[in-house]
């Protein structure tokens, strides 16, 4: 073996080792994203969208959760009101028994006063003033009065809940209009979007005691990088994989805008090996199906917004057209589905 040959062998081995390291890094889920965020780019960050997507989307979801709680309370109060009204109906025959008993004992006058009252409230007022009614009869009348008082309280509570419902609906409408105005500056036309009634159904993420989405910290290990994610993000990621969406994914990023550094966002590549150019063919179909999966399960997963192929879905507006700031596959989201969670 010549000296020049011996010199070339270590050089060749070094090049092979370097190539292998690069190839391994490109195949390791999240490695490129964690160590070099520039691989994906800044995803078309603009201060306008950052503010709108965070504030209006979150405000809308908070109002939506409050509305659901209000409507649930309305249903409970209405059920209580029906029970009270049934109790009043049940007591009416017993009041008639009081009248018949009074007739047999000669207390016709007072009973006739009761029976000829113009309304139920007048009936009760007169009943309270009749000392001739026996203790047993008074108990019947007292039960009727208490039932009617409970019914009145229930009606007042129901009116208050209806007013709260209207307030929450007004908040949701304001958030919707604000989002539409902002999105109009970056496209914003309504689109058919990506929706499929046959998308898999995700298991719901835990909610708060009030039915809302409580704030969560970035406290769970991110399975796609060396960073962290919230419990809700980890749940959404796991549900996507359980539904068959297992291609390259990256969640945590240490810097930049949006929810990545907070552990509340993931980027799902349309390709198995990483983020490349515009998705076409089967890769684009994969992205379409994944976007549809997240939208169908938005209420189950706590989705704040979804971006895919120059379109954005928000709970306030549905699917709208969207153009990134730089017109490349990263900012236009034509190579990956972006998911942000509350």
């Amino acid at each position: 073996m010549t000296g020049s040959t011996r010199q070339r062998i270590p050089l060749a081995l070094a090049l092979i080792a370097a190539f292998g390291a690069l190839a391994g890094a490109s195949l390791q889920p999240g490695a490129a994203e964690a160590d070099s965020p520039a691989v994906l780019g800044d995803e078309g960050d603009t201060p306008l969208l950052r503010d709108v997507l965070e504030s209006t989307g979150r405000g809308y979801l908070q109002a939506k959760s409050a509305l659901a709680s209000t409507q649930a309370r309305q249903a409970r109060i209405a059920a209580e009101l029906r029970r009270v009204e049934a109790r009043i109906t049940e007591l009416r025959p017993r009041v008639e028994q009081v009248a018949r008993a009074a007739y047999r004992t000669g207390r016709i006058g007072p009973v006739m006063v009761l029976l000829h009252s113009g309304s139920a409230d007048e009936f009760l007022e007169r009943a309270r003033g009749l000392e001739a009614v026996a203790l047993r009869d008074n108990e019947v009348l007292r039960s009727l009065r208490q039932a009617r008082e409970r019914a009145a309280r229930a009606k007042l509570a129901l009116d208050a809940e209806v007013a709260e419902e209207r307030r929450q609906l007004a908040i949701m409408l304001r958030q919707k209009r604000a989002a539409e105005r902002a999105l109009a500056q970056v496209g914003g036309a309504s689109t058919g979007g990506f929706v499929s009634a046959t998308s898999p159904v995700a298991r719901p993420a835990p909610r708060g005691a009030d039915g809302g989405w409580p704030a969560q910290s970035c406290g769970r290990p991110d399975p796609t990088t060396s960073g962290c994610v919230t419990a809700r993000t980890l749940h959404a990621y796991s549900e996507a994989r359980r539904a068959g969406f297992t291609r390259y994914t990256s969640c945590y990023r240490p810097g930049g805008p949006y929810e990545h550094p907070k552990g509340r966002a993931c980027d799902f590549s349309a390709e198995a090996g990483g983020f490349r150019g515009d998705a076409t063919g089967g890769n684009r179909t994969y992205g379409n199906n994944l976007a549809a999966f997240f939208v169908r399960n938005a209420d189950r997963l706590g989705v704040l917004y979804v971006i895919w192929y120059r379109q954005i879905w928000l709970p306030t507006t549905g699917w709208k057209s969207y153009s990134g700031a730089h017109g490349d596959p990263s900012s236009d989201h034509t190579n990956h589905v972006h998911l942000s969670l509350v």
Side-chain angles (χ1 to χ4, degrees):
M1 184 179 295
T2 65
S4 61
T5 301
R6 284 195 297 270
Q7 291 175 351
R8 285 197 298 270
I9 289 175
L11 177 60
L13 291 175
L15 290 174
I16 291 172
F19 177 81
L22 289 173
S26 67
L27 294 176
Q28 180 183 354
E33 185 72 357
D35 300 333
S36 180
V39 169
L40 190 60
D42 63 9
E43 299 188 90
D45 168 49
T46 65
L48 173 63
L49 276 183
R50 183 169 64 248
D51 292 343
V52 170
L53 299 182
E54 174 72 18
S55 62
T56 62
R58 193 171 300 278
Y60 183 91
L61 288 177
Q62 289 172 345
K64 185 177 181 180
S65 296
L67 176 62
S69 298
T70 295
Q71 291 173 335
R73 289 194 299 269
Q74 284 185 39
R76 290 194 296 269
I77 293 170
E80 173 63 19
L81 183 57
R82 288 192 296 271
R83 287 192 293 270
V84 172
E85 289 174 341
R87 176 61 175 162
I88 292 172
T89 301
E90 176 188 342
L91 287 170
R92 285 297 182 185
R94 297 180 61 184
V95 173
E96 293 177 2
Q97 291 177 3
V98 172
R100 287 194 294 271
Y103 177 79
R104 288 193 300 271
T105 57
R107 289 186 283 113
I108 298 176
V111 172
M112 293 302 294
V113 170
L114 290 174
L115 294 179
H116 285 83
S117 300
S119 66
D121 291 334
E122 184 181 357
F123 176 92
L124 294 174
E125 283 299 317
R126 295 186 181 187
R128 281 194 287 266
L130 292 173
E131 296 181 353
V133 179
L135 180 61
R136 178 180 60 83
D137 299 339
N138 276 335
E139 181 60 30
V140 174
L141 296 173
R142 183 160 49 251
S143 296
L144 180 61
R145 182 181 70 253
Q146 291 173 347
R148 287 193 61 84
E149 288 172 350
R150 287 199 304 273
R153 288 195 297 271
K155 289 177 180 177
L156 287 175
L158 189 58
D159 290 343
E161 293 299 337
V162 169
E164 176 63 14
E165 178 184 31
R166 291 172 179 166
R167 190 177 76 85
Q168 296 299 339
L169 286 171
I171 292 174
M172 292 168 68
L173 180 60
R174 287 198 299 271
Q175 302 290 1
K176 175 181 172 64
R177 289 172 175 169
E180 287 176 338
R181 284 195 299 269
L183 285 170
Q185 300 184 39
V186 289
S190 295
T191 70
F194 308 96
V195 180
S196 174
T198 61
S199 292
V201 176
R203 292 173 294 194
R207 289 176 176 257
D210 61 352
W213 299 106
Q216 292 183 339
S217 62
C218 191
R220 299 291 184 89
D222 178 9
T224 69
T225 72
S226 59
C228 62
V229 292
T230 67
R232 194 172 300 128
T233 302
L234 181 60
H235 176 80
Y237 167 82
S238 300
E239 287 302 292
R241 295 188 73 81
R242 190 174 73 91
F245 300 104
T246 58
R247 295 185 180 180
Y248 186 95
T249 304
S250 181
C251 297
Y252 179 79
R253 264 207 306 272
Y258 298 108
E259 289 73 35
H260 283 291
K262 303 170 187 175
R264 298 201 308 251
C266 289
D267 292 318
F268 297 80
S269 174
E271 296 191 31
F275 306 105
R276 295 189 174 90
D278 294 344
T280 59
N283 292 335
R284 184 165 179 177
T285 299
Y286 177 89
N288 292 349
N289 292 337
L290 179 55
F293 169 77
F294 286 135
V295 170
R296 185 183 185 192
N297 293 285
D299 284 340
R300 295 182 180 91
L301 300 177
V303 173
L304 185 60
Y305 58 90
V306 178
I307 311 177
W308 167 241
Y309 229 92
R310 302 186 186 92
Q311 297 184 54
I312 183 169
W313 180 90
L314 293 97
T316 49
T317 62
W319 282 107
K320 295 281 189 179
S321 59
Y322 164 85
S323 298
H326 309 302
D328 59 85
S330 292
S331 63
D332 281 346
H333 295 78
T334 54
N335 62 1
H336 72 282
V337 176
H338 175 96
L339 171 71
S340 283
L341 299 141
V342 290

